[in-house]
Amino acid sequence: MTSTDSAQNGRSTGSSTGSSTGSSTGSSTGSENASAKVPAKDPWELPDVSGLVVGVLGGTGDQGRGLAYRLARAGQKVIIGSRAADRAQTAADELGLGVEGADNAECARRSDIVIVAVPWEGHAKTLEALREELGGKLVVDCVNPLGFDKKGAYALKPEEGSAAEQAAALLPDSRVTAAFHHLSAVLLQDADIEEIDTDVMVLGESRADTDIVQALAARIPGMRGVFAGRLRNAHQVESLVANLISVNRRYKAHAGLRVTDV
């Protein structure tokens, strides 16, 4: 009933006015509350990850070892994982900085975040064997499926679409993200280099998870984690490493990436 209708019908004016005023006021207030915009979260407001334990599967390889070193140097608790516990412990002892070594299963069990830095050839087999230990864990896949021939490096495309998507398919009870693909193992392991001047593309399905990985990347001086989409976009991020290898060979460099205007 409109206000004009109420004015014309004296018998219904009182009840209509009361109900109309109450309902309109309530609905109006509700509409105003609904239309009030919640301030957007600052994308650079990231969680404190300093107390989390980071496991690195493939931590005896160049990339894994470099990441373990940089994170431990930044004050993170790090456990190196390997198929052989003694080999992992040897690598940990060489790194120092409180790094520990363990077999892959123990590394996964004891860690809050697990970085997968194993060779592509052993990627699926390693993750399949650790499905139970990685259940409920935040997994960060940094594996790049690449092939090499006389023309140089070239990208491979797994059946699932990318290494990260393969990890997600093999680890249904884990929270899989993708990051740390474009880092130079040489720079990571060089103790004379204080800062790593690069951005880290971070992909995942949950903002809470990608925020954690971004924050972990930011623990390394000079490094910044940048959200780069969902896991379906991981293939092109992984593939770009083939281009960086070509850049490095031509210019005798250790090229990284910077995202501008962000």
Side-chain angles (χ1 to χ4, degrees):
M1 183 179 291
T2 66
S3 58
T4 303
D5 293 333
S6 298
Q8 292 175 344
N9 189 339
R11 290 176 299 174
S12 61
T13 300
S15 61
S16 175
T17 301
S19 61
S20 173
T21 302
S23 62
S24 65
T25 301
S27 62
S28 174
T29 303
S31 298
E32 290 174 2
N33 289 339
S35 62
K37 292 184 178 180
V38 178
K41 180 183 175 183
D42 181 351
W44 298 113
E45 185 181 330
L46 301 172
D48 179 8
V49 298
S50 60
L52 300 180
V53 178
V54 180
V56 184
L57 302 181
T60 58
D62 288 339
Q63 188 79 353
R65 186 186 179 96
L67 280 169
Y69 171 67
R70 286 292 161 178
L71 290 170
R73 181 168 164 171
Q76 209 75 36
K77 175 60 183 175
V78 177
I79 302 173
I80 283 179
S82 177
R83 286 177 296 176
D86 57 345
R87 186 179 175 203
Q89 190 57 55
T90 297
D93 292 341
E94 291 172 353
L95 289 178
L97 300 170
V99 176
E100 295 183 34
D103 62 47
N104 283 332
E106 183 182 354
C107 173
R109 279 193 298 267
R110 293 177 54 197
S111 302
D112 301 304
I113 305 173
V114 180
I115 298 174
V116 181
V118 300
W120 166 241
E121 293 75 16
H123 184 259
K125 186 176 180 180
T126 299
L127 297 184
E128 283 175 336
L130 297 172
R131 181 175 297 173
E132 182 177 347
E133 290 82 1
L134 291 171
K137 306 286 184 177
L138 175 53
V139 175
V140 186
D141 200 296
C142 68
V143 175
N144 302 304
L146 297 175
F148 296 85
D149 60 19
K150 62 182 181 181
K151 295 182 180 179
Y154 60 94
L156 303 175
K157 188 161 188 178
E159 182 179 346
E160 297 83 356
S162 64
E165 288 171 294
Q166 183 183 85
L170 293 172
L171 303 172
D173 298 323
S174 303
R175 296 140 51 210
V176 177
T177 59
F180 301 116
H181 299 91
H182 307 135
L183 306 180
S184 164
V186 173
L187 297 185
L188 288 174
Q189 295 182 79
D190 191 335
D192 292 331
I193 294 177
E194 296 293 330
E195 297 186 0
I196 306 294
D197 181 26
T198 192
D199 285 335
V200 172
M201 310 288 274
V202 181
L203 304 98
E205 302 304 316
S206 162
R207 178 166 179 177
D209 290 340
T210 55
D211 279 357
I212 290 172
V213 180
Q214 286 180 254
L216 187 65
R219 294 276 289 161
I220 301 174
M223 201 174 287
R224 188 177 65 156
V226 179
F227 175 72
R230 294 180 178 268
L231 288 186
R232 67 181 183 180
N233 295 321
H235 172 65
Q236 52 265 42
V237 174
E238 296 170 0
S239 299
L240 187 58
V241 174
N243 302 91
L244 289 177
I245 290 173
S246 296
V247 169
N248 290 336
R249 286 181 174 175
R250 173 63 64 89
Y251 298 101
K252 309 300 181 188
H254 302 291
L257 295 178
R258 275 296 187 199
V259 179
T260 62
D261 199 32
V262 175

